[in-house]
Amino acid sequence: MNANEKSVGAGLVPAHLAMSEARKAASKGEVPIGAVIVRGDKVIAQAHNMRERKQNALYHAEILAINKACKRLKSWRLDDCVMYVTLEPCQMCMGAITNARIKTVYIGAKSTTDLNWKTEVVFQESEECSKLLKDFFASKR
């Protein structure tokens, strides 16, 4: 076992670790959200919100935990991992969770925030963009 890994079987419950991370966030004036990623019976990553402290919109607990897990496993594919998070993930975080192929997410509290910030999205179809992507993936097959 790596020095940074914690055995879940040793009495550490991932949901409680996520709560501990959330409390760390609160103590720093951050929205109290914590996330823990587990593979098998080992905690491989844990993080809390740091958006205000780092003044970076991407520093959500889930994103930071995914980043740590990817570095630890040397892979962006976390398909044999599960995540414990204290609050229902936002759209950005859920997209990252899905993209990382995390198989299950255990959520401690449902979000009451309306995540529709009225961002205008304009789709401008481009043959050049489509061709670049098609050619790239065709070369991989």
Side-chain angles (χ1 to χ4, degrees), residues 40-99:
D41 66 346
K42 306 283 188 286
V43 172
I44 59 166
Q46 54 193 83
H48 57 273
N49 272 7
M50 294 180 59
R51 189 171 63 171
E52 295 300 329
R53 188 169 189 195
K54 298 292 186 177
Q55 288 298 294
N56 188 319
L58 303 177
Y59 277 47
H60 290 207
E62 301 93 327
I63 301 291
L64 296 172
I66 289 170
N67 191 41
K68 288 178 179 181
C70 289
K71 285 181 180 178
R72 181 141 312 129
L73 298 178
K74 295 178 175 55
S75 176
W76 63 269
R77 290 180 177 96
L78 304 177
D79 48 4
D80 55 350
C81 296
V82 298
M83 177 182 280
Y84 294 79
V85 63
T86 58
L87 181 67
E88 179 181 8
C90 70
Q91 294 169 340
M92 173 183 73
C93 292
M94 203 59 222
I97 290 164
T98 301
N99 210 8

Side-chain angles (χ1 to χ4, degrees), residues 98-111:
T98 301
N99 210 8
R101 301 179 181 176
I102 292 172
K103 65 180 179 179
T104 307
V105 180
Y106 297 94
I107 300 168
K110 186 154 180 58
S111 178

